[in-house]
């Protein structure tokens, strides 16, 4: 008997469609849609509810300033109550740093 070579099976098979109705594909589409929506919201600078959206860079800058304030006040020997008051005062200047549709806000709404 003579053995013949066959082409590998992988070359003959077609790739499965990317939009197949699998749970992973559905999840991927959902995540991609959220990412596109988040970029659009950030580009607008305003959430749907009318609350201004803070960019990641602005949030980090604000957090850095708050941290520097706390370190400086502790070095000066201020009490925790005074530090807390100074932090609140600084935070009111920045406005809301949390996302209006963040996880904490969703949890608050769920428990109301």
């Amino acid at each position: 008997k003579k053995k013949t070579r066959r082409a590998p099976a992988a070359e003959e098979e077609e790739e499965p469609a990317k939009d197949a109705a699998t749970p992973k594909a559905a999840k991927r589409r959902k995540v991609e849609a959220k990412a596109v929506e988040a970029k659009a919201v950030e580009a607008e600078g305003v959430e749907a509810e009318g609350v201004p959206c803070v960019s990641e860079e602005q949030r980090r800058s604000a957090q850095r300033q708050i941290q520097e304030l706390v370190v400086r006040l502790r070095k000066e020997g201020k009490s925790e109550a005074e530090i807390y008051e100074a932090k609140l005062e600084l935070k009111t200047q920045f406005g809301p740093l949390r996302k209006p549709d963040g996880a904490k806000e969703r949890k608050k709404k769920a428990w109301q």
Side-chain angles (χ1 to χ4, degrees), residues 50-65:
V51 179
C53 183
V54 179
S55 72
E56 182 67 15
E57 186 177 317
Q58 290 172 328
R59 187 192 66 76
R60 285 181 184 215
S61 172
Q63 292 288 1
R64 189 176 303 112
Q65 288 179 15

